[in-house]
Structure formats: C-alpha cells, structure tokens
Amino acid sequence: MRKNKSTVVGLGMYQTIGSWMLWYIGILVVLHLASGATSYTGIELNLSQSALINGEASWSILNSALTSSKGFFLICGLLSMGGFIKYFVSNGVTRLDYYKGTLQSIFYLSLSFTAIVALLFGLESLIMNIIGIERSISVPIAFYFKMVLDVCLFYLVGWFIAAGFYHLNVWFGFVSIASSLLIVFIQSGIWGENVPIPLYKLMNIYEVSTWIATFISLILIVVVSILIRRLTKEARIKD
C-alpha cells in the first residue's frame, strides 16, 4: 500500500530530527556523567516530582533531560520551517500534508525521547544500586506525562515563532516571540516551576492538580497547532 504524503513527511521529519535527538541525548549523557564525576558527594538524592521540576534533584538523568530538552526541542521547532517546507513543497507535497506530517513527527519524537530517558534512568538506578549508592526514588507517572507535553509544546512554540517570521514580517515575528513567552510561562507555572513574573504570581494558578495541568497543557498545544496551521496554510515558498 502506498503511504500518503503526510506520513512520508512525518517519517522524514522523524528520521532527521530523531538523528539530531540521538546526538543530543549522547552529549547529554556524557555531560551528565562528567558533572556527576566532578560534583557528586554521595549524599542521598531526592527525586520527588517537585525536586525534579525545580532542579533540586542533585544528580539524575531525569533532571538533566528535563532542564535541557526544552531548549533543544525549541531549536528543532525553529528549524522546522525554511528548508523543510521548501523541500517538501517543491517535491509535490501540499502545505497541509507538510503540516500534518510535522505534527506526527512531533508526537513520535516526544514519546521516543521520554521512553529513552526513562530507560536511561532505569539503567542509572540499576548501576547506582549495584555500586551501593543510596537514593530516594519517587518518580510519579505524571512526571513522564509532563516530559511528553513539554517536548510537544516547546517544539510547537519554536515552529510557531519560525512560521511567524517566515510567513509575515519581522514585527509579527517579535509578536509571536512575546506570545510564545506567555505560553511558556503558563506551561511552567501550572506544573509548579518558578516563573519570575510578579503579575503571574498574583494570578495564583500555581500548584494545580496534575489533571488540570495536563488539560491546560493540551489546550495550549491545540491552540499553538491551530495558529501554526493558519500561518503555514498559504505560506509563500521563498527562494
């Protein structure tokens, strides 16, 4: 059976961005091990959800992945316009298929990244138990849900910014950056991360339940996806 064009785009994007992701994970592991070799003092580690989210877990691959993956996938999103849309459209792919395929790749990348990090954490825990290092482990499933949602949203935010600059003009691009910052602050705040904005703190939406945080994150993902579709629907392919 012949694959539809959106699936072809999704596979192509997944393979390309996925290869970048594997390089990123490899570098992350090396830096994580180097950091542990130079700073680990043998104290008991706190791996509760709040400690991981706020960067208080002194040494864990989960903490390293959560804090750095947002920037990585934001950059991947920024690179999802330009050469990619030009390549696919010039090869007979519609803008709608490009849009659908990229969304598919984002979903699969988020699941793949989270699964790899979870496996690395399991391996890390096994090795530490073998060498007799004590650690306090409490990693709820909600943490992995958050990681999937973070990957999706930050990738989409980067794509949204790139689409704003690509389709319209520089001024709208700056507006898209400001809008993206608001989205990122909301995402961080509802999951209990520190957001350095006094007005945001007055809104008092910190520490909502996991279900509400997940629901709001999904709404943000849908809203950004719709905005991207509007920006890419009739995007002019630049030479």
Side-chain angles (χ1 to χ4, degrees):
M1 183 184 297
R2 184 181 177 183
K3 297 179 181 177
N4 61 51
K5 292 183 178 180
S6 63
T7 301
V8 172
V9 172
L11 289 174
M13 294 286 287
Y14 178 76
Q15 291 173 353
T16 300
I17 306 298
S19 65
W20 301 351
M21 182 182 73
L22 292 178
W23 275 103
Y24 156 70
I25 291 174
I27 294 172
L28 175 67
V29 171
V30 171
L31 294 177
H32 176 66
L33 293 174
S35 174
T38 57
S39 64
Y40 182 67
T41 58
I43 61 175
E44 184 177 347
L45 304 182
N46 178 10
L47 295 181
S48 65
Q49 179 173 324
S50 61
L52 286 163
I53 289 175
N54 290 300
E56 298 167 358
S58 54
W59 197 75
S60 168
I61 189 66
L62 292 179
N63 191 63
S64 298
L66 185 66
T67 55
S68 64
S69 61
K70 297 174 183 177
F72 171 75
F73 284 103
L74 177 69
I75 294 172
C76 290
L78 289 169
L79 297 175
S80 291
M81 287 292 294
F84 279 110
I85 190 173
K86 180 180 179 181
Y87 170 79
F88 287 119
V89 173
S90 64
N91 282 277
V93 175
T94 66
R95 290 161 180 78
L96 178 59
D97 285 330
Y98 156 77
Y99 170 77
K100 289 181 177 179
T102 304
L103 286 182
Q104 291 176 28
S105 70
I106 293 171
F107 176 70
Y108 294 127
L109 284 167
S110 66
L111 293 180
S112 299
F113 177 75
T114 303
I116 292 173
V117 171
L119 289 174
L120 288 173
F121 174 65
L123 180 61
E124 174 187 284
S125 299
L126 177 63
I127 294 174
M128 294 185 75
N129 287 332
I130 290 175
I131 62 179
I133 298 177
E134 184 179 3
R135 62 193 321 190
S136 175
I137 301 177
S138 177
V139 184
I141 191 66
F143 177 82
Y144 296 108
F145 278 132
K146 171 179 165 43
M147 185 171 286
V148 170
L149 294 169
D150 274 348
V151 170
C152 289
L153 187 59
F154 276 80
Y155 193 117
L156 286 168
V157 163
W159 189 14
F160 171 61
I161 294 172
F165 278 101
Y166 186 90
H167 179 63
L168 297 173
N169 53 53
V170 174
W171 291 111
F172 185 85
F174 286 119
V175 172
S176 67
I177 291 176
S179 302
S180 298
L181 285 174
L182 178 60
I183 293 170
V184 168
F185 287 149
I186 293 174
Q187 170 71 0
S188 299
I190 60 177
W191 286 98
E193 297 178 356
N194 294 322
V195 180
I197 299 180
L199 180 60
Y200 186 90
K201 294 179 180 179
L202 291 176
M203 295 169 63
N204 195 29
I205 61 174
Y206 280 98
E207 300 296 335
V208 300
S209 71
T210 299
W211 291 111
I212 294 177
T214 301
F215 179 70
I216 295 175
S217 294
L218 290 173
I219 290 177
L220 293 175
I221 288 172
V222 170
V223 170
V224 178
S225 298
I226 292 173
L227 292 174
I228 292 171
R229 172 54 184 157
R230 291 183 177 275
L231 291 173
T232 58
K233 187 176 181 179
E234 298 179 358
R236 181 176 61 87
I237 305 304
K238 301 179 181 180
D239 296 327

